[in-house]
Structure formats: structure tokens, C-alpha cells
Amino acid sequence: MKQSKLDVAVFTPAFIIAAAVAAALILAPIESQAWASQAMSAITNNFGWLLVIFGFGAFVFALWLAFGRYGQVKLATDHADKEYSEVSWAAMMFSAGIGIGLMSWSFVEPIYYLSTPPLGLEAHSTAAYNWGHMYTLFHWSFVPWTLYAIPAVAVAYRLYVRERPFLRISEACRPVFKKQSDGALGALTDTLILLGLLGGAGTSLGLGVPLVSELVSHLFGVEDSIGMRLGVIGFWALLFGGSAYRGLKQGIRWLSDINIVLAIIVVLFVLFAGPTVFILSLTMNSLGLLLDSFAQISFWLAPITGDNFPDNWTLFYWAWWIAYAPLMGLFIGRISKGRTIKSLVLGTLTWGSLGCMTFLAVCGAYAQHLQLTGALDVSSILGTSGIPATVVAILETLPFSTLVIGVFTLLSFVFLATTLDSSAYVLASISTKNLAGDEEPARWNRVAWAVILAALAVGLLVIDALDTVKASTIMLALPLIPVLLVLFKSLLNQLHDDFGRQLAKPELVVSTKHSTNGKGVKNDN
């Protein structure tokens, strides 16, 4: 195997573009904000139909992979065991795929929908409460996690079945790209992946920095200033840069395990300290509404009424998940050795959706209960003071609020760190040529990407505009749709070549030591 080295053709353009975007945000915030808003409107108006088709189609395709003829194909040669336990695997997957977004939106997203409800409902009506709570679960569950699962299968298949141990999307696309995976087409693909990932990570930063800064300011009784937020960014850069420097097993898994424990503590405390029966009842109501309305809301774009809800929320979320899908494909695929296609898909879908829906259902129902009973006018606070101040105000209503805010702050720090160190790890992996699946990219490369992510955070801090953050995500996600379609096609080509149309067996363990004849697996392109 050739020695791994920096891929200049991929690293240089992506790094320069990312640095230029960060500089534009810092030096020309007003112009950047106006341009981003125009671009977002153009994309959602012209390509919203594509985003919803892609999201729903990916969901159907993922179910077919799990329950179809190839579901029992094992993502390993011979009888290799799983590399990670179910708990550690689920913790790393969940922490990498969610990050600070869950902390930012868990209390406030259903409150946003009270004022601007979907489907033309009356604001602050009973229906707005019901649909607002349900829509939050919809945006964070089935479709997002299937968008992560399919690329993960493609990457893991390439790594552990075809034994092409190179952690890059261009390599996973080789069955379609052929020799062009090593040429300009492969370099362009990996560059688009890097830029999309930077957009997704930038969204997490744009949401996370103000929230944690507000939490820290409240805890220590100091003013939430630019200096405070820059300090938060600096601390984060050290935290996730240090974790990325330590690598996958020593850094990322350790942080992920801490993450899950803290998240469970927060959810259980809010559930039992709050109106437990109301929270559980509203959650069951929302699950029924979601299952009953899933097809309708998956395709709702409001072309007649011109309702902005799909553009501002559903299309933004689908773009956010698409931007992260290659990262999660590479990351989940890397840690999924020894699993079957079915266990990978259903594990990702089940653990991811269950974790998000539990957190959002409990926290969202608690916030709605405060609004419904008049204990706290959450909607007014959100409208006048923004997300960070609203989250703090809600947390203050809980018993032992200072301790709760402290734990919530720590969880927010660690959640973003696990997402961003996974991002830095994958960014470095993609920009490294001939990197084997069991190798780790150079430490300086990981730290360099951690630095550029911090620079993007500073740029987003300067503009302080959520709409611009959303726009950047949608713009960078759109070019990734054809890349992901090629990735899906490459996976199908390999499965068909290796197994033909034979039906799944109890556990189909494959060998890469034979040329393909319907029973063996190719060990070539």
C-alpha cells in the first residue's frame, strides 16, 4: 500500500475557500448577509422539490437496504467481530451527528412554531401546539438519520468488504467513477464534500457559540460580550483540537461516552422535575400525529399559499443533514466494521431517532407547558431576546436551576466538541491521499482544520444572523445531492456484482479472496 500523504489538490482549494469565506464574513458582514439571503431564496424557490424528493427517497432506499435481499451482508471479511460495543458505537454516532444543534433547538423550536405554525394553522392555537411539537420530532428523526445511514453503508462496504481501505467519498464512488476517482472528478468530489461539511459545521458553530456564551455569562454573572464569545471559541478550539489531535479512540470515543451520560441526566431531570404526565401525553400524541401525517409533511412545499414555513425550516433541515451526510457516512462507516447492513441501517435509524426524539420531546413539551400555563412567556422572550436568552430563562424555571444550567453548559461544550472533532478528523482524512481505514490522518492536518473551523465561528459571530447561517448550509448542500446519488449507485453496483440477485441468508459473510461469480467479492475497482 502506498504511503499516505497530504492531497494538495483537495486540501488547498477547500482550505483557501473556507478561509476566504471566513474573511468575507468578518470583513464584509452586511454584504455577506445580503448575498446569502438572496442565494437562499433562489435555491429554496427553485430546488425545494428536489430536496424533499431526495429526503423521502433516501428514507425508502434505507428501508430497502435493511429489509431487502442484501440486509444480512456482513460489513467485514470472514467472521470479524464488531470493533466497538453497541453502547460506544451508538454514543459516537449520536454525538457526532447531532452536536450543539440539539441543545440550541430542544426548548425553542416548538415555540417558534407557535408563532409561525405550519399548514396555515392559526398562531398560538391548540393545533399550533400539537403540530409544533410534532414537527420538531419530524425534523430530527427518520429522514435525517437515513441520510446518514446510507453513505455509512457505502463507505463501510468499500472499507471492509471490498477491502479498499481509503477513507474518502471519491473512493466509495469508484465503481461509477472508475479511474476518474484518482483524477479531477475525484478531487472535485472530495472538495465539494469538504466545503459541504464546513457549511454544516459552521451552522453548528453559529448556533452554539451564542448559546454557550449566554450560559457561561449567566453562571458567572458577567456580561455576554464579544470578548466572552471569542473566549468560548478559543476554549472550544483547544477542546476539540486536542481531541482531534488524540485521535478516534482516545479522544472522540471518550468525549462521546461523557456526552451520552450527561444527556440522559438532563432529559430525566426535566422529565421528572417538570409536568411528567403532560410531557408523556404530548409525546404520545405527537408520535401518532407524525405517523399519520409523515407522507404529507415530507412533501409539503406550499406552492399555492406561498407559506414560508417549508423554506425556513424543513428545507433548511434537510440541507443541514445533507451537508453532514458525507461526514457521517465516513465516520459511521469507519466505526461499523463487523456489522451487517441491516444492523447498521436500523441501528443508525433507531438509536439516532430515539435519542433525538426523546430529548426534543421532553424539553419541547416542558417549554410548551410553561407557555400554555402562563408560568413563563417563552414566545415573547424568544421574539425579543433570541435563542440563548430563552434557553437560560427556561432552565431557570427548573429546581436547582444553577446546577442544571451548569450541567447544561458542560453538555453543550462537549456536544459541540464531539461534532467538531469528528468534523476535523474527517476533513483531515478526506484531504489525505492513500489513508488506510485503520490509519489516522496527520495530527497537524487535524489541528489545521480545527483552526479553520474556529475562524468560521468568529466570522459567524461577527454577522450574528441565523438566516445567513441557514443560507450557507443550503447553498453548500445542494451540490452534494448528485455526489450522494453517485455514492448510492456505487453501492448498488457493488452489491449486484458481488451477490447478483441471490436472496439474503441468515448471515452472509463474504470473502474478498475470490473473483466475483455471484458468490465471492471483487477485490478491485
Side-chain angles (χ1 to χ4, degrees):
M1 184 178 295
K2 297 179 181 179
Q3 184 177 4
S4 62
K5 60 181 179 179
L6 181 71
D7 192 336
V8 177
V10 173
F11 177 88
T12 303
F15 198 87
I16 290 175
I17 291 172
V21 170
L25 292 173
I26 295 170
L27 299 176
I30 297 176
E31 293 81 357
S32 299
Q33 193 169 335
W35 185 82
S37 178
Q38 294 171 2
M40 179 177 176
S41 296
I43 291 172
T44 54
N45 289 337
N46 294 296
F47 296 101
W49 60 271
L50 178 61
L51 287 167
V52 297
I53 287 178
F54 186 77
F56 191 84
F59 175 70
V60 174
F61 182 50
L63 294 181
W64 178 82
L65 281 176
F67 296 105
R69 64 174 61 92
Y70 304 123
Q72 295 304 322
V73 171
K74 191 172 184 179
L75 299 169
T77 56
D78 303 322
H79 292 276
D81 294 329
K82 296 177 182 177
E83 186 175 4
Y84 296 98
S85 69
E86 191 71 17
V87 173
S88 289
W89 179 78
M92 285 193 287
M93 173 194 68
F94 183 77
S95 299
I98 295 303
I100 196 66
L102 192 66
M103 310 303 294
S104 300
W105 293 112
S106 56
F107 286 109
V108 302
E109 187 169 335
I111 304 303
Y112 269 117
Y113 300 159
L114 289 180
S115 301
T116 57
L119 304 172
L121 300 173
E122 183 183 350
H124 294 276
S125 63
T126 300
Y129 276 93
N130 288 328
W131 284 82
H133 190 264
M134 181 278 290
Y135 244 100
T136 304
L137 306 187
F138 168 65
H139 285 152
W140 290 79
S141 55
F142 304 127
V143 171
W145 287 99
T146 52
L147 287 171
Y148 291 170
I150 304 171
V153 173
V155 169
Y157 195 92
R158 198 67 184 167
L159 283 174
Y160 302 123
V161 178
R162 284 296 184 100
E163 292 189 316
R164 294 283 300 181
F166 303 112
L167 202 61
R168 303 177 77 166
I169 295 297
S170 60
E171 174 59 37
C173 291
R174 187 177 293 274
V176 172
F177 285 168
K178 306 298 182 183
K179 293 182 179 180
Q180 280 300 313
S181 288
D182 299 318
L185 189 57
L188 176 61
T189 297
D190 289 325
T191 300
L192 288 174
I193 296 298
L194 290 177
L195 294 175
L197 175 52
L198 286 167
T203 301
S204 296
L205 285 161
L207 292 169
V209 171
L211 173 62
V212 174
S213 179
E214 181 76 27
L215 290 167
V216 172
S217 298
H218 181 81
L219 277 177
F220 295 99
V222 296
E223 183 183 358
D224 181 14
S225 62
I226 290 292
M228 168 66 75
R229 296 187 177 188
L230 291 175
V232 168
I233 293 173
F235 184 85
W236 257 331
L238 290 174
L239 186 60
F240 71 76
S243 178
Y245 182 84
R246 287 174 63 84
L248 185 63
K249 294 186 178 181
Q250 292 183 326
I252 297 173
R253 184 172 66 174
W254 179 73
L255 283 176
S256 298
D257 290 344
I258 294 175
N259 235 9
I260 295 304
V261 173
L262 289 175
I264 292 173
I265 290 172
V266 169
V267 168
L268 291 177
F269 184 82
V270 174
L271 174 62
F272 292 111
T276 307
V277 174
F278 176 84
I279 292 172
L280 295 175
S281 299
L282 184 58
T283 299
M284 294 303 102
N285 182 77
S286 293
L287 285 175
L289 193 59
L290 174 58
L291 294 174
D292 183 57
S293 309
F294 183 73
Q296 176 190 0
I297 59 180
S298 293
F299 291 101
W300 180 56
L301 290 174
I304 306 301
T305 62
D307 193 326
N308 289 327
F309 186 95
D311 294 355
N312 291 337
W313 294 104
T314 304
L315 298 184
F316 157 66
Y317 272 122
W318 275 204
W320 196 6
W321 308 132
I322 289 169
Y324 263 124
L327 157 69
M328 294 305 298
L330 290 163
F331 187 76
I332 298 175
R334 167 65 183 82
I335 64 176
S336 296
K337 182 178 181 179
R339 298 177 180 275
T340 63
I341 290 178
K342 183 176 183 178
S343 68
L344 193 162
V345 171
L346 295 185
T348 303
L349 181 60
T350 302
W351 288 116
S353 298
L354 182 63
C356 286
M357 292 173 77
T358 300
F359 204 97
L360 290 157
V362 171
C363 295
Y366 180 74
Q368 282 196 339
H369 187 264
L370 293 175
Q371 181 71 35
L372 190 64
T373 60
L376 182 70
D377 192 350
V378 184
S379 186
S380 294
I381 298 172
L382 183 60
T384 57
S385 303
I387 294 174
T390 305
V391 172
V392 170
I394 292 171
L395 292 174
E396 283 188 307
T397 65
L398 289 165
F400 310 106
S401 59
T402 301
L403 177 60
V404 173
I405 292 174
V407 173
F408 198 86
T409 303
L410 179 60
L411 181 57
S412 298
F413 263 102
V414 179
F415 247 129
L416 189 65
T418 51
T419 297
L420 295 184
D421 63 16
S422 303
S423 301
Y425 180 89
V426 174
L427 286 164
S429 299
I430 296 172
S431 57
T432 303
K433 187 180 293 186
N434 300 322
L435 182 72
D438 57 354
E439 285 187 288
E440 296 197 351
R443 287 176 169 175
W444 73 264
N445 195 352
R446 286 176 254 161
V447 173
W449 286 113
V451 170
I452 202 67
L453 287 169
L456 282 173
V458 174
L460 293 168
L461 177 63
V462 170
I463 61 170
D464 193 23
L466 181 59
D467 288 341
T468 305
V469 174
K470 289 182 176 182
S472 65
T473 303
I474 290 176
M475 285 186 292
L476 291 169
L478 189 64
L480 293 181
I481 292 179
V483 173
L484 290 172
L485 289 174
V486 170
L487 189 65
F488 301 171
K489 175 62 175 173
S490 296
L491 174 62
L492 286 176
N493 286 357
Q494 291 171 107
L495 288 169
H496 180 74
D497 288 346
D498 295 342
F499 302 104
R501 300 186 64 83
Q502 74 181 76
L503 298 177
K505 297 179 180 179
E507 185 179 83
L508 194 55
V509 180
V510 297
S511 170
T512 62
K513 297 179 181 179
H514 307 287
S515 62
T516 185
N517 58 5
K519 298 180 181 179
V521 177
K522 286 184 178 181
N523 191 24
D524 55 20
N525 294 342

